[in-house]
């Protein structure tokens, strides 16, 4: 059974950093491109970042709103995708979800990030 | 960026009646491989998004056959043939053809 479990969220002050993890199971993680999404409170869905599998270079794509501040990475030995978030802003507050990039067929339950002083 | 425009944004429906949601993209969603990467998600209150339809019209396993997707190019539709109480939630279209990936604003389906 495919499972994605996000962790690492919490309350953080503006300007600080946080690293989210997406732990995967039930499929061959190393072959799978992954994405992060977010949803601000009461708002719609927003795609945040994407990473290809190592077989396709492990290259990345970012939304303009996070480019230069967020970094997506992966550890295939642990089946984890990470989202390193630096220079956090209040607008980054929301629930962060990871998803398989096989058409975004499976999503995790999300982890809440609150950026506030 | 490709702008995805959904309508209506709010859809009150009587149980057992049909419902239809439109999604229009500002550019064609046909990819160079010939596929059209238009996805529909359902998000029930308090839950994560659930994929219903992929590549315009392919229904996911476990999705009731009252849900159907159609369209081409820049114009797409999600239809629910007979709305049931469990269909309450917000429905999003998303394009997976162009970078950055973008979503429609969401359509809130509620029971009258």
């Amino acid at each position: 059974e495919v499972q994605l479990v996000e962790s690492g969220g919490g309350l953080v002050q503006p300007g600080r950093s946080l690293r989210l993890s997406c732990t995967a199971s039930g499929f061959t993680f190393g072959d799978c491109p992954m994405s992060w999404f977010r949803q601000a409170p009461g708002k719609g869905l927003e795609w945040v970042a994407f990473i290809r599998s190592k077989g396709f270079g492990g290259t990345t794509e970012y939304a303009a709103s996070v480019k230069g501040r967020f970094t997506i990475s992966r550890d295939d030995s642990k089946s984890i995708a990470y989202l390193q978030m630096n220079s956090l802003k209040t607008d980054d507050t929301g629930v962060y979800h990871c998803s398989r990039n096989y058409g975004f067929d499976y999503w995790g339950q999300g982890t809440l990030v609150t950026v506030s002083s | 960026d490709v702008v995805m425009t959904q309508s209506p944004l709010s859809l009150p429906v009587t149980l057992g009646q049909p419902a239809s949601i439109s999604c229009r993209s500002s550019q064609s969603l046909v990819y160079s491989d010939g596929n059209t990467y238009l996805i529909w998600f359902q998000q029930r209150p308090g839950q994560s998004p659930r994929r219903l339809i992929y590549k315009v019209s392919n229904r996911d396993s476990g999705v009731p056959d009252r849900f159907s997707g159609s369209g081409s190019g820049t114009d797409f539709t999600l239809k629910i043939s007979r709305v049931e109480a469990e269909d309450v939630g917000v429905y999003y279209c998303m394009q997976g053809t162009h970078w950055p990936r973008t979503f429609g604003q969401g359509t809130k389906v509620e029971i009258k």
Side-chain angles (χ1 to χ4, degrees):
Chain A
E1 179 195 2
V2 172
Q3 282 197 318
L4 298 170
V5 179
E6 301 93 339
S7 60
L11 174 62
V12 62
Q13 292 179 327
R16 305 297 291 265
S17 299
L18 207 57
R19 187 178 80 162
L20 306 183
S21 298
C22 168
T23 304
S25 60
F27 63 100
T28 306
F29 180 79
D31 292 341
C32 186
M34 297 293 294
S35 278
W36 282 95
F37 296 83
R38 67 184 180 184
Q39 188 167 31
K43 302 296 184 183
L45 295 164
E46 178 187 15
W47 168 79
V48 172
F50 163 77
I51 186 166
R52 295 174 178 83
S53 64
K54 291 279 197 307
F56 284 86
T59 51
T60 57
E61 308 283 345
Y62 296 95
S65 57
V66 306
K67 197 167 187 177
R69 299 188 299 122
F70 289 13
T71 301
I72 187 172
S73 62
R74 60 191 303 149
D75 184 336
D76 292 345
S77 68
K78 295 180 180 177
S79 296
I80 298 177
Y82 297 102
L83 186 68
Q84 177 67 42
M85 305 186 296
N86 298 333
S87 302
L88 281 161
K89 305 175 182 180
T90 54
D91 286 351
D92 296 319
T93 293
V95 176
Y96 284 71
H97 297 273
C98 62
S99 178
R100 298 197 320 173
N101 228 86
Y102 291 150
F104 314 105
D105 55 352
Y106 287 92
W107 291 59
Q109 84 290 346
T111 187
L112 176 62
V113 173
T114 304
V115 184
S116 174
S117 54
Chain B
D1 296 1
V2 176
V3 177
M4 305 294 287
T5 303
Q6 285 183 232
S7 63
L9 300 185
S10 178
L11 185 54
V13 187
T14 301
L15 287 172
Q17 292 301 301
S20 181
I21 301 170
S22 169
C23 175
R24 289 192 166 93
S25 58
S26 60
Q27 298 177 34
S28 172
L29 299 186
V30 180
Y31 190 55
S32 54
D33 62 4
N35 288 309
T36 300
Y37 294 100
L38 186 282
I39 301 167
W40 288 97
F41 294 97
Q42 174 195 61
Q43 189 173 32
R44 291 174 171 147
Q47 294 188 12
S48 297
R50 170 199 183 194
R51 193 180 73 175
L52 297 177
I53 303 283
Y54 61 97
K55 286 194 282 186
V56 181
S57 59
N58 296 275
R59 196 168 46 245
D60 269 280
S61 173
V63 174
D65 61 7
R66 63 179 180 274
F67 289 93
S68 64
S70 63
S72 63
T74 62
D75 200 349
F76 307 93
T77 303
L78 175 70
K79 291 182 179 175
I80 310 173
S81 58
R82 297 171 307 280
V83 171
E84 297 190 6
E86 66 177 17
D87 301 335
V88 165
V90 181
Y91 292 77
Y92 297 92
C93 60
M94 186 198 117
Q95 63 84 16
T97 298
H98 303 281
W99 296 106
R101 308 314 193 201
T102 47
F103 287 87
Q105 313 97 301
T107 295
K108 186 173 185 178
V109 172
E110 59 184 12
I111 306 301
K112 277 185 189 175

